[in-house]
Amino acid sequence: MRKILYALSSSVIGFGLAAGLAQAEQLTIATVNNGDMIIMQKLSPEWEKETGNKLNWVVLEENVLRQKVTTDIATKGGQYDILTIGGYETPIWGKLGWLRPLDDLGADYDYGDLLAPIKSGLTVDGKLYAVPFYTESSFTLYRKDLFDAAGIKMPDQPTYDQIKEFAAKLTDKSKQQYGICLRGKPGWGENMAFLGTMINTYGGRWFDMNWKPQINSAPWKKAITDYVDLMKNYGPPGATANGFNENQALFSTGHCAMWIDATSAAGRVYDPKQSQVADKTAFARAPVAVTPSGSSWSWSWNLAIPTSSKKTDAAKSFIKWATSKQYVKLVGEKEGWVAVPPGTRKSTYDLAEYQKEAPFAATVLKAILSADPSKPTKDPVPYTGVQFVAIPEFQGIGTIVGQQIAAALAGQQSVDAVLDTAQKQVEREMKKAGYPK
C-alpha cells in the first residue's frame, strides 16, 4: 500500500513539475529593426521575468520582414508566434482568417483608450485582428539653425516649390550637408510610402474608378520628375540605398537640412542620446502641391498572432504587456519620455511628462487624426489607403513601381521611360488578378 501511495505521490509531483514547465513558453517574434522595436526588445526581459516565458527575437529590415512574414503566414508555416505587421496587411489577413482576434485582452487593457481611427483600421466585421504598437503620419523635420543662418523661414505647411527653393539654398556638398533627404530604397513601404503622398498631393492617383492604372499620367510624371531632381541636385549620394533608418541616421548626424518622413522619427531625432541635432530641430506639416488630399500618410505598426501559432495565450500576454498604458510609462521612465511609442493611446497625450519632453506631441497627434484613408486623392478612386492601396495585389505592384522609380533615381533610365514600363507592368498584374471586379 505504501508503495502504491509513494508511486501515486511521485507521479503527482512529476505531473506538477511538468505542468509548471509546460506553462513556460518560448515565443518567436518577428519585428522590424526600427528604434521603437529595439526598445521593446530591450525591455522585454521585464515581461519574461513576470511570466517565466522566453522570447526568441527575429529582427529584420523592413522589406525583408514583410517578405518573410507574408510567406510564412500565407503558407501556414508556423515559424512565428507574434508578428509585427502594418495597417495594410491587418484587415486583409484578418478577413482571410490568417490572424487570431485580439478582442479578449481583458477589461484592464482599456480598448476605449486606443485612438479610434487606428483601432477601426485594424477591425474587420467587428473583430480586432491586431493592436497598435505605434502609429505615425508624415511631416517635415528641418534644421532651424540652418534656416536661421540662411535667413529663411519654414511655413507651417510648405509647398513642394518652397521645399525645392529651401533645398537649393541649404545644400553645401563640400560639408556633406544636403538640402534634403528622402527615401530612395525601393519597396511599397519604403520609397513608395513617401512617393505615394507626393503623387497624391500633385493630383495623381494609382487607379481611376474603373481600376485602370494611372502611373504614366501627367501628375505622376510631374511628381516623380521633381523628386528625382530634388534628390540628384540636393540629396545625399547613394540615395537608392536609403530608407527610413538610413535617413534617420543622416539627419541625426547633421547631414540633412530637411527630411520628410514619419512622425515616429520625432522621438529619436529629439532625443539627445540618439541625435546630434536634438536641440537644432524643428518641424512643419508635410508639404503640399495642388491639393492637400493625401499629402501625409496614415500608418500603424501593430502586433498580431498568426492562426498557425500554437502558443496563443502566451502570445496574447506579451502583446497585452507591450501595448499597454503601463508599457508606455515603463519606456518613459527607462528610456526617456521622447522615446514612448506614439499615436496609439489617448492617455499618452495626457501625460504631463510626455507633454513637457515632446514638443512635437500635439502636431503628431493632429497629423495622425487628420489623415483620411477614405479620401486620399483629388479625384475619386475605388480604393482606400493614403500611401497604399488596400488590396492584396498592392504589395507586389507597389514594389514593382518602386523598383522602376529607383532606376530613374539612379540615372539608369528617364522618368518617362520608367513610368511607361511601370504602367504596362501594373496593367498586366491587375488584369491577371481579374480587375475590374
Side-chain angles (χ1 to χ4, degrees):
M1 186 69 181
R2 283 180 184 171
K3 284 182 179 177
I4 294 170
L5 285 171
Y6 178 76
L8 281 170
S9 64
S10 296
S11 65
V12 168
I13 291 166
F15 178 78
L17 286 170
L21 290 171
Q23 287 171 1
E25 301 274 19
Q26 175 149 323
L27 304 174
T28 298
I29 175 170
T31 196
V32 66
N33 63 342
N34 289 352
D36 293 273
M37 283 69 173
I38 301 299
I39 291 173
M40 175 171 59
Q41 183 181 7
K42 182 180 175 182
L43 297 178
S44 63
E46 303 251 351
W47 176 81
E48 291 176 326
K49 195 162 56 177
E50 284 174 21
T51 63
N53 298 321
K54 293 290 179 188
L55 290 165
N56 172 37
W57 289 85
V58 180
V59 183
L60 301 165
E61 184 269 331
E62 192 167 323
N63 286 339
V64 178
L65 173 81
R66 289 196 170 105
Q67 184 182 28
K68 286 187 177 294
V69 165
T70 301
T71 300
D72 187 72
I73 201 164
T75 59
K76 296 181 170 57
Q79 190 176 348
Y80 310 111
D81 301 296
I82 300 170
L83 309 174
T84 304
I85 61 174
Y88 162 72
E89 297 97 338
T90 301
I92 294 171
W93 293 0
K95 196 168 188 177
L96 288 168
W98 292 355
L99 301 173
R100 302 262 183 214
L102 292 175
D103 298 296
D104 56 351
L105 298 181
D108 59 334
Y109 185 71
D110 195 357
Y111 286 95
D113 189 44
L114 298 174
L115 294 178
I118 308 307
K119 184 183 173 190
S120 174
L122 305 174
T123 301
V124 181
D125 298 330
K127 290 183 178 178
L128 187 67
Y129 283 100
V131 287
F133 181 69
Y134 79 76
T135 302
E136 62 188 33
S137 185
S138 55
F139 69 166
T140 307
L141 287 156
Y142 67 96
R143 287 275 302 279
K144 60 186 177 185
D145 59 326
L146 298 179
F147 270 70
D148 290 345
I152 51 179
K153 183 174 172 56
M154 174 70 81
D156 175 58
Q157 184 162 45
T159 65
Y160 271 100
D161 285 341
Q162 289 173 315
I163 292 292
K164 281 187 275 186
E165 291 171 21
F166 299 156
K169 288 178 181 174
L170 297 171
T171 298
D172 187 344
K173 293 183 180 179
S174 69
K175 295 180 182 176
Q176 294 186 321
Q177 177 183 304
Y178 305 102
I180 192 158
C181 293
L182 299 170
R183 298 188 189 193
K185 183 186 289 186
W188 72 266
E190 279 285 8
N191 63 345
M192 294 314 299
F194 165 72
L195 287 170
T197 63
M198 191 171 180
I199 290 155
N200 290 340
T201 195
Y202 271 67
R205 52 185 174 165
W206 277 90
F207 302 98
D208 67 12
M209 289 300 289
N210 296 313
W211 289 101
K212 179 174 172 54
Q214 301 293 298
I215 293 160
N216 61 354
S217 63
W220 272 74
K221 288 182 178 179
K222 173 73 171 133
I224 303 306
T225 298
D226 281 0
Y227 162 74
V228 170
D229 287 347
L230 264 173
M231 294 297 282
K232 280 185 175 176
N233 295 324
Y234 315 120
T240 54
N242 294 343
F244 173 80
N245 285 329
E246 292 80 9
N247 281 323
Q248 180 183 289
L250 283 166
F251 191 91
S252 297
T253 51
H255 293 293
C256 310
M258 293 182 290
W259 177 32
I260 305 161
D261 213 302
T263 54
S264 60
R268 299 159 207 147
V269 170
Y270 275 83
D271 182 356
K273 290 184 286 188
Q274 301 183 60
S275 171
Q276 297 171 23
V277 295
D279 60 342
K280 301 178 178 69
T281 298
F283 50 86
R285 293 163 71 190
V288 291
V290 302
T291 177
S293 298
S295 59
S296 59
W297 70 62
S298 174
W299 182 253
S300 58
W301 276 118
N302 315 282
L303 299 180
I305 303 171
T307 51
S308 54
S309 172
K310 303 292 188 288
K311 302 169 184 175
T312 303
D313 289 344
K316 282 182 180 177
S317 168
F318 178 76
I319 286 176
K320 180 177 180 178
W321 175 82
T323 60
S324 65
K325 296 178 188 177
Q326 292 74 25
Y327 178 81
V328 169
K329 289 182 180 176
L330 180 67
V331 174
E333 289 161 4
K334 297 271 189 180
E335 301 294 319
W337 289 99
V338 290
V340 304
T344 57
R345 290 186 169 275
K346 291 179 269 188
S347 57
T348 301
Y349 294 86
D350 295 330
L351 292 167
E353 302 94 330
Y354 188 54
Q355 292 174 0
K356 181 182 176 186
E357 298 296 326
F360 48 81
T363 299
V364 168
L365 183 62
K366 185 178 178 183
I368 289 168
L369 294 177
S370 64
D372 187 355
S374 67
K375 295 177 183 174
T377 53
K378 178 174 73 72
D379 296 324
V381 289
Y383 57 84
T384 59
V386 180
Q387 81 286 18
F388 60 81
V389 178
I391 56 173
E393 294 78 14
F394 184 74
Q395 189 162 346
I397 66 176
T399 296
I400 286 170
V401 177
Q403 289 166 343
Q404 289 294 336
I405 293 172
L409 181 57
Q412 295 166 0
Q413 293 185 69
S414 70
V415 169
D416 281 6
V418 301
L419 293 183
D420 285 344
T421 300
Q423 173 77 14
K424 289 171 188 165
Q425 288 175 314
V426 175
E427 283 176 354
R428 189 163 57 244
E429 292 299 317
M430 294 299 282
K431 185 176 180 182
K432 198 193 314 182
Y435 285 85
K437 292 184 177 182

